[in-house]
Amino acid sequence: MKKNYFSFAILAASFCVMASCGSKSADNAGGADSTELAPEAEETVENLPATKTSFEQKNFIVSVPEGWNTTPNPDASRSDIMLFKGDMENIMSSPVMMINVDAPAEGMTFDEAFKALQADSGAQAIDDVTIGGKTYKGLVLTEGENTGTILAREEGDKVIALTITNSGLDNPEVQAIIQSIKVK
């Protein structure tokens, strides 16, 4: 099972490696569908669960709700962090989120990289998802009984890639984390 979890994390990180900052696509180009979360789920950050603390990474800052823990990447040149609810012993059943914010690699547009990630992973595309007024392209990857959601979007010269396992996007704590991400 650990192998499955880490393949989700690798997919999120690989998205940043595959993307390119040379060309940006328009939001929702080609008339892609966009899924807005229900009004009761689309809350402002102030109405979401209280955060325990903020963590500053190389390229971003994220706030973490009470009851969640983190394991930042010890490699200072990387810009990713794993957040998980509870303790490490329950990581296979508790909500987990990998966040990576990095300048994309040269060679592909954001849309090309996203399509390549989908093809390489066998993940299924989902309608665009809007959380906190920001729209993400999404994929769902299933390996055995494990399912994960991968969300990605461009912000300035960075790509934000999120991998979420053991939780739905309607989880208020997951939404609070996503809304709290501030790109540097």
Side-chain angles (χ1 to χ4, degrees):
M1 277 181 36
K2 283 187 180 181
K3 179 184 174 220
N4 290 341
Y5 169 74
F6 287 110
S7 65
F8 287 129
I10 290 168
L11 281 173
S14 69
F15 183 80
C16 287
V17 172
M18 294 172 58
S20 168
C21 61
S23 175
K24 297 189 185 301
S25 63
D27 285 342
N28 295 326
D33 292 333
S34 179
T35 301
E36 290 280 342
L37 296 179
E40 61 274 8
E42 186 67 35
E43 302 180 44
T44 64
V45 175
E46 294 81 31
N47 294 331
L48 290 169
T51 56
K52 176 172 100 176
T53 189
S54 291
F55 288 89
E56 187 165 348
Q57 293 297 97
K58 177 179 144 189
N59 291 330
F60 68 99
I61 299 169
V62 64
S63 296
V64 182
E66 290 287 339
W68 285 67
N69 292 293
T70 64
T71 57
N73 193 321
D75 180 350
S77 69
R78 302 261 321 198
S79 189
D80 55 326
I81 190 169
M82 180 173 71
L83 309 172
F84 55 96
K85 187 160 186 170
D87 15 0
M88 190 61 94
E89 287 113 27
N90 300 321
I91 201 163
M92 296 308 294
S93 59
S94 296
V96 176
M97 182 183 300
M98 292 288 300
I99 303 171
N100 185 304
V101 178
D102 256 320
E106 301 281 334
M108 286 188 195
T109 66
F110 177 81
D111 287 335
E112 290 169 340
F114 194 81
K115 287 177 185 170
L117 176 62
Q118 179 182 2
D120 291 347
S121 68
Q124 298 297 312
I126 60 174
D127 288 344
D128 290 352
V129 176
T130 301
I131 298 174
K134 297 181 180 178
T135 302
Y136 294 81
K137 287 187 166 287
L139 298 172
V140 172
L141 178 66
T142 302
E143 289 186 353
E145 295 179 14
N146 298 326
T147 300
T149 303
I150 300 169
L151 299 178
R153 71 179 189 82
E154 290 178 290
E155 184 169 317
D157 64 345
K158 305 282 190 296
V159 173
I160 301 170
L162 311 168
T163 304
I164 303 150
T165 59
N166 305 325
S167 180
L169 295 175
D170 57 348
N171 180 327
E173 293 175 324
V174 168
Q175 288 187 21
I177 293 167
I178 293 171
Q179 290 183 48
S180 77
I181 298 170
K182 303 290 184 244
V183 176
K184 295 190 212 175

